[in-house]
Amino acid sequence: MGRRRPLGALIALLAGVAFLQVPVVTPESPTGGLLLDRNRQLLGARLAADEQWRFRPSEPPPERYRQALIAAEDKRFAYHPGVDPLAVSSAIVQNARAGRVVRGGSTLTMQLIRLARRNPPRTVPEKLLEMLLALRLDLALSKADILTKYSEHAPFGGNIVGLEAASWRYLRRPPGSMSWAEAATFAVLPNEPALVHPHGNRERLKEKRDRLLQRLEDQGMIDEQTRMLATLEPLIGAPEPLPKKTGHLLHRSQRGNEGSTHATTVDASIQEL
């Protein structure tokens, strides 16, 4: 009996060492440039090198968005180690009953891994690898960092990637001031980004947004009045073109600093005049 304990400890140690050799996988993508005026109004923007609207965030995701995202995608995010055994078990049961894949059981960490690996085919070996990489990523990064990286790389329709770009394209302002309705919309949109376009199923987008708002009320994140007012807000519209008020200055600001955000002393209203 005494010999088995050292053997078991050795096996556990070797397994731990092997696990630490698993790579830490996160998305790595180029970012476009932003040029702001003295009042943080947008003067101009540039696409990333891969032709995507993707900007480097100036601050962490707002708390409303974080709460909405966790409620929508991964309610036990704060407690699981990157993989949620309860969600996986529930998905297996539901898929077996339906005779097809109706639920994936993916956590936000697993979704981040999928984004980093360019959405490989949904096979059992790929799912197992995804779970292994998610466990390793959760050990390497804080929960806040995982949420931030997800928000930087989630798809929001067309070639709009990341919360920062989505906020500028759909709201014409940075994400820090978004309403509960906007936060809920951005939380559900990456699962079906085509819904945001005028030809998409806008009613389905509203249903998903309002269902999430109800869940936030049920969880005590918002009160009934806040939910009711949020459901009355119109849906975000199609993405709008970004301003091109200072083309030469934008080009100059990005020279040698591609993908960065620059604040200037220019006043946008005077520039327009």
Side-chain angles (χ1 to χ4, degrees):
M1 193 70 180
R3 292 180 179 179
R4 292 181 181 176
R5 288 179 180 174
L7 180 60
L10 178 61
I11 292 173
L13 176 62
L14 292 175
V17 171
F19 177 70
L20 292 177
Q21 303 309 307
V22 174
V24 177
V25 177
T26 58
E28 297 294 337
S29 303
T31 55
L34 284 172
L35 192 68
L36 307 177
D37 84 340
R38 64 193 307 166
N39 301 310
R40 308 295 291 181
Q41 297 296 309
L42 188 62
L43 292 170
R46 175 176 287 185
L47 282 163
D50 58 357
E51 300 297 313
Q52 303 294 303
W53 289 112
R54 186 192 300 105
F55 303 132
R56 194 174 301 160
S58 56
E59 55 189 20
E63 187 62 26
R64 288 180 178 178
Y65 171 76
R66 291 162 59 92
Q67 292 179 6
L69 181 62
I70 291 172
E73 295 292 333
D74 194 352
K75 62 183 179 181
R76 287 179 288 273
F77 176 74
Y79 310 106
H80 64 64
V83 176
D84 186 347
L86 294 177
V88 172
S89 302
S90 177
I92 292 173
V93 171
Q94 289 186 31
N95 295 339
R97 288 175 177 172
R100 59 188 178 87
V101 177
V102 295
R103 183 180 174 189
S106 293
T107 63
L108 283 169
T109 314
M110 292 167 66
Q111 291 181 45
L112 181 60
I113 294 294
R114 283 192 64 80
L115 291 172
R117 301 182 66 239
R118 309 295 182 185
N119 292 307
R122 295 177 181 269
T123 62
V124 173
E126 283 291 345
K127 194 71 172 181
L128 293 175
L129 177 58
E130 185 180 294
M131 294 169 70
L132 175 64
L133 293 173
L135 290 169
R136 182 67 182 94
L137 183 61
D138 193 86
L139 185 65
L141 299 183
S142 68
K143 294 290 186 180
D145 286 341
I146 291 172
L147 273 182
T148 297
K149 284 191 173 294
Y150 175 86
S151 72
E152 290 176 12
H153 296 276
F156 286 93
N159 65 339
I160 302 173
V161 180
L163 184 65
E164 189 82 13
S167 187
W168 282 112
R169 288 298 309 272
Y170 292 115
L171 308 179
R172 296 298 293 271
R173 49 186 162 82
S177 60
M178 68 175 57
S179 67
W180 276 111
E182 292 162 349
T185 303
F186 284 142
V188 301
L189 191 55
N191 275 336
E192 295 184 80
L195 295 181
V196 76
H197 294 290
H199 60 271
N201 190 340
R202 303 278 292 170
E203 189 58 35
R204 175 169 168 76
L205 178 59
K206 186 177 188 309
E207 288 174 3
K208 293 183 70 172
R209 181 199 70 175
D210 293 352
R211 196 181 309 129
L212 176 54
L213 289 167
Q214 181 64 63
R215 193 178 308 164
L216 288 167
E217 181 190 344
D218 294 341
Q219 294 178 2
M221 302 294 182
I222 59 177
D223 57 33
E224 182 182 11
Q225 183 179 18
T226 299
R227 177 190 62 79
M228 292 179 64
L229 290 173
T231 59
L232 295 176
E233 280 191 35
L235 286 172
I236 59 176
E240 298 184 22
L242 295 178
K244 299 178 180 179
K245 300 177 180 178
T246 51
H248 292 294
L249 183 58
L250 173 63
H251 176 75
R252 185 175 178 180
S253 70
Q254 295 298 304
R255 194 181 302 159
N257 296 287
E258 290 78 7
S260 58
T261 297
H262 285 268
T264 70
T265 58
V266 175
D267 187 306
S269 60
I270 296 176
Q271 177 68 18
E272 288 179 0
L273 291 174

